[in-house]
Amino acid sequence: MQTRILRLDPQNPDPVAMDEAVRLLRSGQLVAFPTETVYGLGANALDATAVAAIYTAKGRPSHNPLIVHVADISQARELVTHWSSQADMLARHFWPGPLTIVLVRAPGKLPDIVTAGSPTVALRVPDSPIALALIQAADIPVAAPSANTSNLTSPTRAEHVMKHLQGRIPLILDGGPAKGGIESTVLDLSGIQPAILRPGLISREEIEAVIGPVSMPSHIAHVENDVTPAPLPSPGLMRRHYAPHAPLTMLPSDQTLDTILSLADKNPTQRIGWLRIQTNDRPPPPLSTDQLIIVEMPTTPRAYAAKIYDILHELDQANLDQIFVDAPPSDDPAWHAVRDRLLRAAQ
Ligand code: TXA
Ligand code: MG
């Protein structure tokens, strides 16, 4: 299969290209499209065969459920048994936006494969004119995971999607780089207590400001404690995830340089990448650019999130042997999602 990329103005997508994408989606084919977080790989969520093709294209384990993208609250409500007042407050506050809400799914609406047999469904309204126009014009809910090979780094550009899925899907809508850079927060509202299943661009504090206390199950609390994540109940939260090809190690920032220098000393042919959080007092290390590629990372969590996958994709092209990352501060909740992704990339 030939994969086409159609370049679009994100604010004013070309109607002919959009028609083509809508036609493909409605006929059961896959279309990759930009969202404000990362690129998604979309299929008609009402069509079990189309959804099955997502799992095949990504090499995704069949037990990992998909997020269903909808155009608005009313479309979300149709897919669940009970649209709770918490869901309503959060949706009004954060949608369109990077918050995914898990609720008990309505019987008979979605094929089981979308939710991997789970009695719940994950829903979100993406904050991207292209994604919204696509869902609206197709007039269907769109199941879409990140448009990458399972467990590898999620795509923030159409080229990243091409690298992973070329020949496996007919169309990629290219709306330029995704602004958010990491995935949505997944919040489970199907139980007694709201619980974050995946930290993301919307923080626990922002959610709590709207609905009050939200729990952070122990399987993701590792991010605060800097220990290896435990095996996880949700398969989408597998330990090794979001990973580049080269092994990645996160270290306290005052240890990274010494570690790199001693490694380079032992093995001068190693090619090393260093994602450095800049501090003014560090002299440049005495290594050639063949040995060490330094990437200066932003010092604020939002800017860091916007860049991290992009940089990891770039470093994948550089065929490095090892990547070291300065750990972002562990005591600041605003860094939670970024630390989560780095820890999983490091497994
Ligand atoms: O930002 C995002 O969320 C992107 C864009 C494309 O929307 N999508 C994304 O999808 O990251 P994916 O499939 O890569 O991650 C979805 C996460 C997985 O961790 C999955 O296990 C979880 O959501 N999930 C989906 N449905 C669920 C459900 N019913 N219950 C619990 N977790 C669910
Ligand atoms: Mg993913």
Side-chain angles (χ1 to χ4, degrees), residues 37 60 64-65 67 69 120 122 124 145-146 183-184 197-198 234 236:
T37 60
R60 182 177 178 106
N64 189 2
I67 295 173
H69 295 67
T120 61
R124 95 175 183 97
S146 52
E183 298 82 354
S184 63
L197 301 181
R198 177 178 71 182
S234 172

Side-chain angles (χ1 to χ4, degrees), residues 38 58 60 64 145-155 183 198 236 241-242 309:
V38 299
K58 277 182 63 93
R60 182 177 178 106
N64 189 2
S146 52
N148 52 287
T149 308
S150 196
N151 289 353
L152 299 183
T153 310
S154 301
E183 298 82 354
R198 177 178 71 182
H241 214 102
Y242 315 113
Y309 288 161

Side-chain angles (χ1 to χ4, degrees), residues 27-41:
S27 66
Q29 311 241 42
L30 305 185
V31 174
F33 60 93
T35 81
E36 82 282 27
T37 60
V38 299
Y39 274 69
L41 177 60

Side-chain angles (χ1 to χ4, degrees), residues 65-81:
L66 304 174
I67 295 173
V68 176
H69 295 67
V70 290
D72 52 34
I73 290 177
S74 71
Q75 204 183 3
R77 294 179 82 125
E78 284 172 26
L79 300 173
V80 300
T81 51

